Amino acid sequence: MADYSKEDFLQLIKRVGALFTIKISNLFRNLDSRSVGAIAGLAFAVVFTWRLLRTPSGLQRRQPKRQASTPGTSSASSHANANVNVISSGSSNPSEASRTQNVIDEFFQPVKPTLGQIVRQRLSEGRKVTCRLLGVILEESSPEELQKQATVRSSVVEVLLEITKFCDLYLMERVLDDETEKKVLLALEDAGIFTSGGLVKDKVLFCSTEIGRTSFVRQLEPDWHVDTNPEIVTQLARFIKYQLHISPIKPEGTAANVYTSTSLEQFFGCI
């Protein structure tokens, strides 16, 4: 009943609009430019209102009752079928139906979280992070390789910059000489690690032994520590709230507060 009333109302608007157009055309001869502009604006408002009322009417038409779905039908399938039924009954124009379906698909499409949101969620709102350089930030995997060159993994830069926005980040590594320290700092600078202002060179720490790196972490008392050495991860498990062990395989007997991932980027879903 409501559907027929709306159709009658729309037909009435069309007739009034046609009559209104005829009356305006007869008055145009005796009106000045200012009056013509005012009437044109009014006519535009009437047309816009008519189109606004016309669009939802097609979508609100209902299809005759269908048989009840079987108990095994999922709610997602019912929702999808309902969308198709509304479109097919509301418009006979395929292009209009396609546009309507696109609007519905965009409306129900899940919002993809940003990298910043993922970082904060995965770090459980941790405010301080310590991270080893070799095998995590740098391509090289040993101090001996660092003596020759230092190469920053390009895929990890964006993750590091996001971490520095929310956390106090410290990078650390064992090196064999002072020249290696300079190579590492230069590689980090060239990669743009220091551009965001969240990480400065003073927060890149160097030591000569693995025990020295362990001491750095314990002194800083971070919420998270990232490392590739399983022995250091095991030693720090009692003192650090969370750890991320970068390893191709998950070792047996890993503590409950230790996560394992093949890379820092993979842990944050970047690859």
Side-chain angles (χ1 to χ4, degrees), residues 48-180:
F48 178 81
T49 303
W50 173 74
R51 290 181 62 85
L52 186 64
L53 291 173
R54 178 177 176 272
T55 301
S57 66
L59 295 176
Q60 292 175 356
R61 297 177 189 170
R62 295 183 178 179
Q63 198 176 18
K65 292 184 178 180
R66 302 169 65 97
Q67 293 181 355
S69 59
T70 60
T73 305
S74 64
S75 59
S77 299
S78 300
H79 178 73
N81 291 336
N83 289 343
V84 175
N85 291 339
V86 170
I87 295 171
S88 60
S89 61
S91 174
S92 58
N93 189 341
S95 61
E96 183 177 347
S98 177
R99 287 195 300 271
T100 306
Q101 181 64 59
N102 291 337
V103 171
I104 294 175
D105 291 342
E106 291 177 4
F107 182 80
F108 287 101
Q109 185 177 6
V111 178
K112 184 179 181 180
T114 63
L115 179 58
Q117 293 172 332
I118 295 175
V119 167
R120 297 187 66 174
Q121 181 182 13
R122 295 291 279 165
L123 293 180
S124 303
E125 302 296 331
R127 302 305 300 171
K128 184 183 288 186
V129 178
T130 56
C131 180
R132 183 182 190 179
L133 284 166
L134 285 174
V136 181
I137 310 301
L138 301 177
E139 296 281 0
E140 292 72 27
S141 58
S142 68
E144 290 74 20
E145 291 182 39
L146 274 184
Q147 285 185 303
K148 301 177 182 179
Q149 63 179 11
T151 309
V152 177
R153 297 165 56 93
S154 59
S155 57
V156 82
V157 173
E158 186 179 6
V159 175
L160 281 181
L161 294 179
E162 286 297 331
I163 292 176
T164 59
K165 293 179 182 179
F166 307 108
C167 304
D168 192 13
L169 177 64
Y170 291 83
L171 304 179
M172 54 190 65
E173 191 49 64
R174 178 171 74 93
V175 294
L176 302 180
D177 51 47
D178 294 341
E179 288 299 320
T180 302

Side-chain angles (χ1 to χ4, degrees), residues 15-33:
R15 294 170 185 167
V16 171
L19 180 61
F20 189 72
T21 302
I22 295 174
K23 293 293 185 181
I24 290 177
S25 63
N26 293 333
L27 292 173
F28 272 148
R29 302 190 189 95
N30 301 322
L31 294 177
D32 55 13
S33 59

